[in-house]
Amino acid sequence: EAGVAQSPRYKIIEKRQSVAFWCNPISGHATLYWYQQILGQGPKLLIQFQNNGVVDDSQLPKDRFSAERLKGVDSTLKIQPAKLEDSAVYLCASSPGQLYNEQFFGPGTRLTVL
Amino acid sequence: RKEVEQDPGPFNVPEGATVAFNCTYSNSASQSFFWYRQDCRKEPKLLMSVYSSGNEDGRFTAQLNRASQYISLLIRDSKLSDSATYLCVVKNTGFQKLVFGTGTRLLVSP
């Protein structure tokens, strides 16, 4: 079974530029998560989708971050404009449903903002 | 105060040693508990769930103390391949979201 796919794997941009990340979850997984992991810290949830609806975006900096999952399958996360402190690994995870305990993570996108 | 707190380490141990990691959580409504493992520059993967009765998986033993809001992970007979960061994770009611600790780094040396 294919795992969670993410692209690009690496991205380097200058501050104030825009960037977008893509995630394709495991087939059939209804719940999709985006996490931000800053070096030396654990992953922090940015947004959680159940199918194509947002369940929790309380920690998403909405002035610059946006995410969508229009058809309830793949998802994009956008940052516009980027700041230096956005340098991090952006992890996408999926699970069959909200009540399922295990989340399956993709390899992440490593973003460097110069 | 962080919702999940761990000693970041690193813990440097020789092969064959026994090592224990601890974690505390602040939200008494937390309902499920886990240890995830994250290798360097890789994604986190579920290592094991943690139950009040304690659970064991080979060389790994996890314990939960709800009264003290404390979770532990014991690794016996450490292997070089155990070198990784171990993330303590709690799942809260409501949105059913996972909250990760900062992780404890383990380095096992020959």
Side-chain angles (χ1 to χ4, degrees):
Chain A
E1 181 182 87
V4 176
Q6 289 188 247
S7 67
R9 293 295 309 279
Y10 305 90
K11 190 74 178 178
I12 300 174
I13 62 172
E14 295 189 348
K15 59 182 179 184
R16 291 188 289 274
Q17 286 188 322
S18 302
V19 65
F21 313 128
W22 175 81
C23 171
N24 192 25
I26 293 172
S27 177
H29 281 197
T31 314
L32 185 147
Y33 312 81
W34 282 103
Y35 289 87
Q36 180 192 58
Q37 187 172 24
I38 292 172
L39 187 65
Q41 299 182 20
K44 182 185 83 171
L45 181 69
L46 293 175
I47 189 166
Q48 176 182 341
F49 291 95
Q50 180 68 16
N51 297 309
N52 61 351
V54 175
V55 173
D56 181 5
D57 62 358
S58 57
Q59 297 191 95
L60 186 74
K62 297 180 188 64
D63 58 333
R64 298 184 301 107
F65 286 64
S66 64
E68 59 183 16
R69 192 185 184 199
L70 293 176
K71 297 182 179 179
V73 181
D74 57 347
S75 175
T76 55
L77 176 70
K78 296 179 182 177
I79 307 175
Q80 180 180 8
K83 293 185 175 181
L84 296 177
E85 58 262 35
D86 298 332
S87 293
V89 176
Y90 291 84
L91 294 161
C92 179
S94 71
S95 71
Q98 285 181 262
L99 299 182
Y100 195 84
N101 279 330
E102 184 173 2
Q103 294 183 13
F104 299 85
F105 285 81
T109 296
R110 186 173 299 272
L111 174 67
T112 302
V113 182
L114 303 175
Chain B
R1 182 185 172 188
K2 291 181 180 177
E3 192 167 345
V4 180
E5 299 214 48
Q6 295 182 252
D7 180 346
F11 284 56
N12 290 285
V13 302
E15 268 187 296
T18 295
V19 61
F21 306 138
N22 303 318
C23 162
T24 57
Y25 61 96
S26 60
N27 187 344
S28 58
S30 298
Q31 58 178 180
S32 304
F33 308 88
F34 312 92
W35 285 99
Y36 273 69
R37 170 187 169 136
Q38 186 170 28
D39 292 316
C40 187
R41 301 180 78 89
K42 297 286 189 180
E43 70 272 20
K45 292 184 179 178
L46 179 65
L47 177 66
M48 59 197 305
S49 301
V50 189
Y51 306 114
S52 296
S53 55
N55 52 305
E56 188 173 311
D57 183 2
R59 298 180 293 109
F60 298 81
T61 301
Q63 295 274 359
L64 166 65
N65 184 321
R66 285 188 182 270
S68 302
Q69 296 183 195
Y70 172 95
I71 305 161
S72 66
L73 177 68
L74 181 77
I75 306 175
R76 291 181 298 277
D77 188 23
S78 298
K79 311 292 184 190
L80 295 176
S81 56
D82 294 334
S83 296
T85 296
Y86 292 84
L87 297 159
C88 178
V89 186
V90 303
K91 187 175 188 181
N92 295 330
T93 55
F95 295 135
Q96 301 285 324
K97 73 177 188 182
L98 297 186
V99 180
F100 287 77
T102 56
T104 298
R105 191 170 173 209
L106 172 65
L107 298 172
V108 182
S109 54

